[in-house]
């Protein structure tokens, strides 16, 4: 008998037919197609959700009465002659800054006593800038302070702020020359004009505008502290008028103006950041590749836009907190790491911590300047003698003893009488180091008043740096 094997025709006929080679390919292809469809659907759902959430976020902010879109910041007729901004910008453009005389002026680091060559250089610039300074004086009579629309970091806007800063610098040096020549009435008038420029600049709805305003305020504070040690206050035509001194002290203690400037600036910055995000999402670039690319990352951009708006909304109230130690932990942490969910936020989002710290520093400097001015006024009225405590300045010279915005627990500024009397803040470290001007352990780079243990103001004139 013959044994049947698997190779026989009968066995081959009874085995199941082999699967076609293309079947697995079709299954795999369908699986991949399903994945693509799921990805497209998920992307579409994510895009719709993120877009809806962003629109809801925008609507909530607008319902609260706050600007959030560029059109919310538009003010009509900003070029009208009754607008102090238009007059101030016109004055800034009148200052000639493209010749050797200006370059010599810009290189100055003036301090008292001014040297003859410094006075000559300053006189040349102030003299030829008379029409611009007159325009600033006229602008002070106006109450409207509306800015034109701000374009994101554009060249013209940068130039506008440069004009404002340089105008304030000219006025500051003019005040120094006035003081050295004995005309303290004119010196204080010029300083008050600098404070007016800062007030107008702080009406600009952007963080950059607020930071420029802080810089202009710092110029005014610096000049007050420079002339205060021997400021003459009296009734003759060249002495600083007591009413003007009192009003200047009141302006220096007006925290509301600077706090409103911070809030306005952060609200405007939120508008600019959202507008930048929306331009990335709905940009005007043509071409299929560009459209596909924008569509592909649209939900991610919407998510980043929501994140930035949320973070900036959280930082806006920080400007109203009482002091830096309270404000610092309330600042949202800057986006870090490589997460794609916040990759664009890291590009758009400003550095909140430095902006907030400078905000509280200028509040502190203005309080210090107000106290120094009040102490000098007191000394003029008391044959050169200073009070034992700051409480003696209340209520004639100060409405109340100012608080220290760098100190926790609502503490007042500190004062030491003696041979070298000082008024001081606890400074950046928040600790009372008895008026020490030793460098902070963490300070690096160029030293200044804020890189020392305490922020100290000397009430007696100090020698020039190069004369020490």
């Amino acid at each position: 008998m013959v044994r049947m094997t698997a190779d026989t025709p009968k066995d081959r006929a009874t085995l199941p037919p082999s699967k076609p080679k293309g079947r697995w390919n079709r299954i795999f292809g369908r699986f991949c197609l399903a994945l693509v469809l799921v990805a497209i659907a998920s992307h579409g759902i994510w895009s719709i959700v993120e877009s809806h959430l962003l629109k809801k976020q925008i609507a909530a902010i607008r319902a609260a009465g706050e600007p959030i879109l560029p059109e919310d910041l538009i003010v009509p007729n900003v070029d009208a002659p009754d607008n102090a901004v238009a007059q101030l910008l016109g004055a800034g453009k009148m200052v000639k800054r493209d010749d050797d005389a200006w370059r010599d002026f810009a290189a100055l680091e003036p301090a008292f006593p001014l040297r003859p060559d410094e006075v000559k250089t300053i006189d040349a610039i102030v003299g030829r800038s008379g029409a611009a300074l007159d325009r600033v004086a006229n602008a002070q009579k106006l109450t409207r302070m509306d800015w034109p629309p701000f374009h994101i970091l554009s060249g013209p806007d940068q130039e506008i702020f440069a004009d404002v800063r340089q105008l304030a610098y000219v006025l500051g040096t003019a005040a120094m020359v006035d003081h050295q020549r004995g005309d303290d009435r004119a010196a204080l008038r010029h300083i008050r004009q600098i404070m007016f420029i800062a007030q107008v600049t702080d009406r600009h709805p952007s963080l950059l505008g607020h930071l420029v305003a802080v810089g202009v305020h710092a110029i005014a504070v610096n000049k007050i502290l420079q002339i205060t040690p021997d400021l003459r206050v009296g009734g003759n035509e060249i002495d600083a008028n007591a009413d003007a001194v009192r009003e200047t002290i009141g302006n220096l203690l007006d925290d509301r103006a600077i706090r409103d400037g911070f809030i306005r600036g952060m609200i405007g910055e939120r508008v600019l950041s959202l507008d930048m995000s929306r331009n990335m999402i709905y940009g005007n670039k043509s071409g299929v590749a560009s459209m596909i690319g924008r569509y592909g990352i649209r939900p991610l951009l919407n998510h980043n836009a929501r994140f930035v708006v949320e973070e900036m909304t959280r930082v806006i109230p920080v400007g109203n907190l009482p002091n830096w130690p309270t404000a610092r932990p309330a600042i949202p942490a800057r986006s870090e790491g490589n997460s794609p969910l916040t990759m664009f936020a890291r590009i758009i989002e400003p550095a909140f911590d430095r902006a907030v710290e400078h905000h509280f520093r200028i509040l502190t400097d203005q309080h210090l300047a107000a106290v120094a001015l009040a102490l000098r006024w007191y000394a003029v009225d008391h044959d050169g003698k200073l009070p034992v405590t700051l409480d003696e300045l209340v209520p004639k010279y100060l409405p109340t003893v100012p608080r220290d915005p760098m100190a926790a627990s609502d503490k007042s500024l500190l004062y030491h009488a003696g041979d070298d009397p000082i008024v001081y803040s606890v400074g950046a470290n928040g600790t009372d180091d008895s008026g020490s001007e030793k460098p902070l352990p963490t300070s690096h780079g160029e030293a200044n008043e804020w890189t020392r243990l305490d922020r100290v103001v000397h009430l007696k004139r100090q020698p020039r740096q190069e004369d020490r």
Side-chain angles (χ1 to χ4, degrees):
M1 186 172 91
V2 179
R3 181 179 294 178
M4 302 292 292
T5 66
D7 291 333
T8 65
K10 183 177 180 179
D11 272 347
R12 286 198 299 268
T14 59
L15 288 175
S18 61
K19 295 180 180 179
K21 294 182 179 179
R23 182 177 179 184
W24 285 110
N25 290 337
R26 287 196 298 273
I27 292 174
F28 179 73
R30 288 169 184 170
F31 177 75
C32 290
L33 178 61
L35 285 179
V36 170
L37 292 175
V38 168
I40 292 174
S42 300
H43 178 276
I45 293 170
W46 185 29
S47 185
I48 292 170
V49 169
E50 290 290 351
S51 178
H52 171 73
L53 291 175
L54 180 60
K55 289 177 181 178
K56 184 178 179 181
Q57 189 180 41
I58 293 170
I61 292 172
R62 298 189 90 180
E66 293 183 4
I68 186 61
L69 300 177
E71 52 265 34
D72 298 336
L73 297 177
I74 295 176
V75 179
N77 302 320
V78 292
D79 295 329
D82 66 336
N83 187 6
V85 172
Q87 300 302 315
L88 183 61
L89 297 183
K93 293 184 182 304
M94 295 169 69
V95 177
K96 181 178 173 61
R97 308 202 314 264
D98 58 357
D99 60 2
D100 290 339
W102 179 266
R103 283 185 281 274
D104 291 342
F105 173 75
L108 293 178
E109 295 182 4
F112 289 116
L114 294 168
R115 296 188 296 266
D117 61 301
E118 292 174 322
V119 173
K120 182 179 179 180
T121 300
I122 292 169
D123 278 343
I125 297 300
V126 173
R128 78 183 193 185
S129 303
L133 303 188
D134 288 343
R135 193 160 182 173
V136 173
N138 291 331
Q140 281 183 287
K141 303 172 186 177
L142 306 175
T143 57
R144 185 182 172 197
M145 301 178 185
D146 295 324
W147 282 83
F150 181 74
H151 305 287
I152 300 174
L153 300 178
S154 66
D157 291 305
Q158 299 292 319
E159 189 63 28
I160 283 173
F161 289 131
D163 291 343
V164 166
R165 283 192 295 263
Q166 298 306 328
L167 193 58
Y169 186 58
V170 172
L171 285 163
T173 55
M176 294 184 71
V177 171
D178 291 335
H179 177 71
Q180 183 150 310
R181 289 173 174 158
D183 192 349
D184 280 334
R185 183 161 297 193
L188 192 57
R189 182 174 67 249
H190 282 137
I191 290 173
R192 286 158 62 83
Q193 289 173 336
I194 299 172
M195 296 172 72
F196 167 74
I197 292 174
Q199 178 188 5
V200 175
T201 307
D202 224 354
R203 298 283 300 183
H204 194 283
S206 70
L207 179 58
L208 178 59
H210 177 65
L211 293 177
V212 171
V214 165
V216 176
H217 278 297
I219 293 174
V221 166
N222 176 267
K223 300 313 170 187
I224 288 172
L225 296 180
Q226 284 186 310
I227 72 172
T228 290
D230 39 32
L231 179 73
R232 291 165 286 271
V233 183
N236 66 49
E237 61 182 11
I238 61 173
D239 287 345
N241 181 276
D243 289 338
V245 172
R246 182 179 291 105
E247 187 174 345
T248 302
I249 290 172
N251 290 336
L252 289 167
L253 295 176
D254 183 12
D255 289 358
R256 186 71 270 147
I258 293 180
R259 291 181 184 276
D260 285 348
F262 175 88
I263 291 169
R264 185 183 301 107
M266 290 305 304
I267 287 176
E269 196 68 22
R270 184 177 62 184
V271 172
L272 296 177
S273 297
L274 176 61
D275 188 52
M276 187 183 301
S277 299
R278 285 160 65 89
N279 283 336
M280 295 169 69
I281 298 168
Y282 305 107
N284 295 323
K285 294 181 180 179
S286 60
V288 175
S290 176
M291 293 174 63
I292 293 175
R294 287 201 311 274
Y295 176 78
I297 63 172
R298 182 170 295 176
L300 182 60
L301 291 173
N302 275 317
H303 179 83
N304 277 257
R306 287 198 306 109
F307 179 84
V308 170
V309 169
E310 181 180 345
E311 293 292 282
M312 299 191 75
T313 300
R314 287 174 55 200
V315 83
I316 288 170
V318 173
N320 271 334
L321 293 177
N323 50 60
W324 171 236
T326 304
R328 181 164 43 194
I331 302 171
R334 188 170 176 80
S335 304
E336 300 292 347
N338 299 316
S339 171
L341 291 177
T342 56
M343 59 185 297
F344 295 106
R346 291 194 296 273
I347 299 172
I348 297 171
E349 196 176 72
F352 298 130
D353 52 348
R354 296 298 294 169
V356 176
E357 184 174 9
H358 281 293
H359 168 71
F360 282 97
R361 284 185 181 184
I362 195 59
L363 291 174
T364 306
D365 276 342
Q366 293 214 151
H367 287 191
L368 288 168
V371 173
L373 197 53
L375 285 165
R376 176 58 187 170
W377 185 11
Y378 178 100
V380 169
D381 287 350
H382 293 80
D383 298 322
K385 295 180 180 179
L386 290 170
V388 177
T389 69
L390 295 181
D391 291 330
E392 296 179 51
L393 299 174
V394 181
K396 180 178 179 180
Y397 305 98
L398 285 174
T400 185
V401 177
R403 300 305 181 200
D404 183 353
M406 301 303 291
S409 305
D410 201 32
K411 293 180 180 178
S412 301
L413 292 174
L414 298 157
Y415 167 64
H416 286 174
D419 294 336
D420 184 15
I422 60 172
V423 58
Y424 68 97
S425 158
V426 296
N429 66 357
T431 303
D432 179 5
D433 292 294
S434 301
S436 173
E437 295 182 88
K438 292 181 180 179
L440 283 164
T442 56
S443 63
H444 301 286
E446 183 180 358
N448 59 52
E449 295 84 354
W450 284 101
T451 60
R452 296 166 184 163
L453 292 177
D454 290 328
R455 169 61 171 110
V456 178
V457 169
H458 291 268
L459 302 175
K460 272 189 173 182
R461 182 159 310 284
Q462 304 295 298
R464 286 187 67 141
Q465 189 69 34
E466 59 266 34
D467 297 334
R468 293 180 185 180

